[in-house]
Amino acid sequence: MSQQSAKKPENQQAWLGAILKGLIRFLSWMPLRLNHALGSALGVLLYWIPNSNRRIAQINIQQVYSDRSPQQQQALLKANLKETAKAFMELGPAWCWSSEKLLKQVVEIKGKDLVEQAVAKEKGVVFLGPHIGSWELIATYLSVLYPSTILYRPPNVPSVETFMVNARGRFGATMVATDGRGVRSLMKALKNKEVTAILPDQDPGESGGVYAPFFGRPARTMTLVSKLLQKTDSACLFVVMKRLPKGQGYALHFLPAQHEVASEEAEVATQALNQGVEQCIAIAPEQYLWSYKRYRKPPAEVADIYKK
């Protein structure tokens, strides 16, 4: 490949990154109510126009909520695509607003006593925040209140990575990539009584997990959480930042994690982890990221539901 042809993708990535950063900054100028209204409008478009988000979300909803009528499934799909679009629109506030302005948006906290009890143990705390509601705001919220080290997965557009890392870490959180060095940094931070937030329903790849039932169907599930808990003796809680209607803010939910999440038996730990995620989804099923391929690359004997 010539030097000129190699530069072309890099230039395209740079332009795309500049557009994304400009859009996110633009979205940060809006009040939350308008931000969410635009997200709803975009979600309606996603519902009516054929696209991969709609296709994957529909497959997942049909799989998980097979007991519901087709009309109920379609209603959930439409509501879900609206919430998915809102999650993108919220990147402006999440990455650009001041801590004071962001904290004011959290108008209700449920299970706060669980956090106080976990912190009182003077150990590290692992917060498990699935892809529900405004998961971006969870790490931001925690980093304002506690010394935090947060794992992140490098974005598909490399030119936006520095902007993203600086935005997520602007309140003092240490951002570490999801690689061996990042995991070691995470363990060190937890042993130093810091907190972290992990997306427990993220695909760990072929070597980072095992298959465990998720709503009754096998899904690759990470073993990182159980390993962290075993090696650091940290406390563990699930957390959901539920989006309230009409831009009214958020309700923050803290839920206890089963003791089995820390089991040395990978199958036991991952099953408990997925059960916790399912309980989180029950808080707001329409706000879960159903457009994510949670059942990708199933076991050889199980059909791939995403193949056309």
Side-chain angles (χ1 to χ4, degrees):
M1 181 182 294
S2 68
Q3 186 175 1
Q4 185 175 2
S5 61
K7 285 184 177 180
K8 190 173 181 180
E10 292 180 6
N11 291 336
Q12 290 174 344
Q13 290 281 354
W15 274 107
L16 181 56
I19 292 172
L20 286 173
K21 287 182 280 188
L23 178 58
I24 289 169
R25 290 193 178 99
F26 173 72
L27 293 172
S28 72
W29 299 340
M30 300 178 184
L32 193 61
R33 187 182 183 96
L34 177 57
N35 194 291
H36 284 177
L38 290 174
S40 291
L42 177 58
V44 172
L45 287 177
L46 290 174
Y47 178 75
W48 288 109
I49 299 174
N51 59 88
S52 60
N53 283 303
R54 173 181 169 164
R55 189 180 80 85
I56 300 305
Q58 186 168 27
I59 291 171
N60 283 331
I61 288 172
Q62 290 173 344
Q63 171 63 40
V64 172
Y65 299 105
S66 59
D67 57 331
R68 298 190 182 187
S69 68
Q71 293 77 15
Q72 290 173 322
Q73 292 176 357
Q74 286 301 308
L76 177 57
L77 174 63
K78 188 173 184 179
N80 177 247
L81 291 172
K82 289 182 179 181
E83 298 297 329
T84 300
K86 289 178 186 178
F88 173 76
M89 293 294 181
E90 286 169 344
L91 289 179
W95 288 9
C96 300
W97 282 9
S98 68
S99 60
E100 182 180 9
K101 190 174 181 180
L102 281 173
L103 291 181
K104 284 182 179 178
Q105 307 307 314
V106 183
V107 298
E108 183 180 3
I109 301 178
K110 296 186 177 182
K112 189 175 182 179
D113 57 317
L114 295 173
V115 182
E116 294 172 347
Q117 293 168 15
V119 173
K121 293 179 180 178
E122 296 188 350
K123 297 180 180 180
V125 185
V126 178
F127 289 96
L128 304 174
H131 290 85
I132 306 170
S134 185
W135 64 85
E136 275 285 346
L137 279 180
I138 292 174
T140 301
Y141 177 88
L142 294 174
S143 67
V144 172
L145 301 178
Y146 309 104
S148 307
T149 297
I150 309 295
L151 279 179
Y152 77 92
R153 178 168 291 184
N156 294 329
V157 182
S159 58
V160 82
E161 181 173 2
T162 299
F163 175 69
M164 180 190 76
V165 169
N166 290 338
R168 287 177 171 175
R170 70 190 185 281
F171 302 129
T174 300
M175 305 300 301
V176 293
T178 50
D179 53 24
R181 181 182 298 178
V183 172
R184 289 192 294 272
S185 297
L186 202 60
M187 288 187 177
K188 181 179 179 180
L190 289 170
K191 290 179 180 179
N192 288 336
K193 304 175 185 178
E194 293 188 14
V195 308
T196 189
I198 294 175
L199 293 162
D201 53 342
Q202 203 153 28
D203 181 12
E206 295 182 4
S207 60
V210 298
Y211 288 102
F214 180 63
F215 288 104
R217 190 177 186 87
R220 293 198 298 197
T221 306
M222 65 174 61
T223 53
L224 172 63
V225 174
S226 59
K227 292 175 181 177
L228 286 174
L229 297 177
Q230 292 162 22
K231 294 182 179 180
T232 66
D233 193 29
S234 297
C236 184
L237 294 172
F238 281 94
V239 56
V240 174
M241 187 74 79
K242 180 182 178 181
R243 189 179 299 110
L244 299 178
K246 298 180 180 179
Q248 296 174 13
Y250 304 90
L252 184 57
H253 296 250
F254 293 102
L255 296 82
Q258 299 178 34
H259 296 299
E260 289 81 2
V261 169
S263 173
E264 294 183 359
E265 297 182 37
E267 289 75 13
V268 173
T270 51
Q271 182 171 342
L273 185 67
N274 281 347
Q275 288 174 351
V277 174
E278 291 174 14
Q279 291 173 355
C280 290
I281 292 173
I283 293 173
E286 74 283 358
Q287 294 189 22
Y288 187 62
L289 190 64
W290 292 115
S291 55
Y292 183 66
K293 290 184 178 181
R294 189 67 184 86
Y295 300 111
R296 73 176 71 197
K297 297 192 176 180
E301 69 277 9
V302 177
D304 186 340
I305 61 176
Y306 304 123
K307 286 188 175 180
K308 295 182 179 180

